[in-house]
Amino acid sequence: MRRIFLIPCFLLLLTSCSNNSTSIPEKDPPTVQNTPVPPVDTPAAKPVSTPQKSVTAWQGVQEITDASFTQKVLSNPGLTIVDFNAVWCGPCKKLKPIFAKAAEKFSGKASFASIDTDASPTVSMLYKVESIPLLLFFKEGKIVNRITGLPDAAEFDAAVEKALQ
């Protein structure tokens, strides 16, 4: 019984929507007068200088990009630990102080670098970064260890010490 009633209602609604566009009278578009705009006496805008990113962004950790990855990581004969992260990632933010403390603790023994996966997608795809934070340990350009997720400070320090041996 309902179907019999709903089908004609649907058809009526459908036809009224299609006919509705012709029943509305069109208005003439408003006319715009061509009046000259008086000049505004304002001083010339000074160019705004944008601050450049620091290479040592936070306590001994270098920020690297797709362009600098080969030079800073793969060409380094020693141990380089790379933190793959993103600005929006909560666990990545929690990892920063742990990473910075380790960079301070192992200064001179290992290099620490950070790469934003959103800003540097080529390296992220090359190393199949599927989850962040991701820590890759490079020695002589080859991966020797990988930590996915947020390690605690003791776990991270132990991994660095093991990679240094």
Side-chain angles (χ1 to χ4, degrees):
M1 178 84 171
R2 274 189 179 164
R3 287 184 187 178
I4 296 171
F5 178 72
L6 290 178
I7 293 173
C9 289
F10 177 73
L11 292 174
L12 181 64
L13 179 65
L14 186 63
T15 56
S16 68
C17 288
S18 64
N19 291 338
N20 204 11
S21 63
T22 58
S23 64
I24 299 175
E26 288 190 30
K27 294 182 180 179
D28 291 335
T31 58
V32 179
Q33 294 178 355
N34 291 332
T35 57
V37 178
V40 180
D41 293 330
T42 57
K46 294 180 182 177
V48 178
S49 63
T50 56
Q52 297 203 0
K53 279 190 174 180
S54 168
V55 175
T56 54
W58 31 284
Q59 303 177 8
V61 178
Q62 293 185 334
E63 283 190 17
I64 57 175
T65 62
D66 284 340
S68 63
F69 186 82
T70 300
Q71 177 191 6
K72 301 285 183 181
V73 178
L74 300 180
S75 298
N76 186 2
L79 177 65
T80 304
I81 299 130
V82 181
D83 171 27
F84 287 83
N85 60 67
V87 178
W88 49 265
C89 171
C92 299
K93 291 176 187 175
K94 290 181 181 179
L95 179 62
K96 271 192 173 192
I98 296 169
F99 201 68
K101 281 183 184 178
E104 202 174 296
K105 182 178 179 179
F106 296 102
S107 179
K109 297 178 184 175
S111 299
F112 290 78
S114 174
I115 188 165
D116 185 337
T117 56
D118 292 333
S120 300
T122 305
V123 171
S124 301
M125 287 188 320
L126 180 68
Y127 288 99
K128 298 177 182 160
V129 177
E130 295 175 354
S131 177
I132 53 174
L134 172 67
L135 299 168
L136 292 182
F137 294 67
F138 289 88
K139 207 174 211 177
E140 298 176 5
K142 295 182 181 162
I143 298 175
V144 294
N145 193 6
R146 174 186 205 111
I147 298 175
T148 305
L150 179 62
D152 61 24
E155 179 186 352
F156 182 58
D157 287 352
V160 175
E161 287 176 10
K162 184 178 178 183
L164 284 170
Q165 295 174 357

